[in-house]
């Protein structure tokens, strides 16, 4: 199994097949593409199309994380139903549910790490400290 690269420039430029091998040890398969996205060396972000996306808090227990993901899928389904029915009140409620679950997972809100490093979520990897 391949280790996670320490140079983000090389991670961003890797072909998709290598992305899959790079993050395979992490165990988070992308739901849409079916591949394992590359993960930053510190495990805080995945890299998708050159952009950093904050990962869920690894300190969450497996059962808690599974329950939160199930709730997230239900909330996203409710967003879709509200959009299809053009129900603006239900849409606001469903989006509020999605946000609350994302905060509970650690994807949004306060960062889950404690070393004082800034949040670089949604930034292009080449414009962050990961492009060393």
């Amino acid at each position: 199994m391949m280790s996670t690269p320490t140079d983000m420039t090389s991670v961003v430029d890797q072909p998709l097949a290598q992305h899959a091998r790079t993050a395979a040890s992490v165990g988070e398969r992308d739901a849409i593409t079916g591949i394992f996205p590359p993960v930053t060396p510190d495990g805080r972000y995945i890299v998708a199309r050159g952009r950093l996306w904050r990962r869920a808090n690894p300190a969450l227990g497996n059962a808690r994380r599974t329950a939160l993901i199930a709730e997230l899928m239900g909330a996203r389904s409710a967003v879709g139903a509200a959009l299809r029915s053009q129900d603006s009140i239900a849409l606001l409620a469903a989006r509020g549910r999605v946000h609350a679950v994302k905060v509970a997972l650690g994807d949004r809100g306060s960062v889950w790490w404690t070393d004082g490093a800034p949040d670089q979520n949604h930034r292009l990897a080449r414009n962050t400290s990961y492009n060393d």
Side-chain angles (χ1 to χ4, degrees):
M1 182 137 318
M2 187 175 177
S3 65
T4 304
T6 56
D7 177 10
M8 286 309 300
T9 303
S10 64
V11 169
V12 174
D13 296 333
Q14 291 175 2
L16 285 178
Q18 190 158 350
H19 281 300
R21 288 190 305 274
T22 301
S25 63
V26 176
E28 290 186 11
R29 186 180 299 267
D30 182 275
I32 296 171
T33 65
I35 65 169
F36 294 96
V39 177
T40 58
D42 57 14
R44 293 177 181 161
Y45 303 94
I46 63 168
V47 181
R49 288 178 278 155
R51 193 169 296 274
L52 299 176
W53 296 93
R54 194 183 328 161
R55 294 182 65 216
N57 186 345
L60 291 174
N62 206 18
R64 175 75 175 137
R65 184 168 188 253
T66 301
L68 286 170
I69 290 172
E71 171 62 22
L72 179 61
M73 295 302 105
R76 285 178 170 166
S77 178
V79 167
L83 285 169
R84 286 187 298 278
S85 68
Q86 298 180 348
D87 184 342
S88 60
I89 293 173
L91 181 60
L92 284 174
R95 285 186 172 159
R97 282 178 56 200
V98 168
H99 178 71
V101 175
K102 297 290 268 178
V103 169
L105 281 167
D107 294 357
R108 295 183 184 164
S110 300
V111 297
W112 45 261
W113 52 88
T114 58
D115 64 0
D119 188 11
Q120 299 185 67
N121 200 26
H122 301 200
R123 294 188 182 177
L124 290 173
R126 69 174 178 253
N127 297 333
T128 68
S129 61
Y130 294 98
N131 192 26
D132 293 345

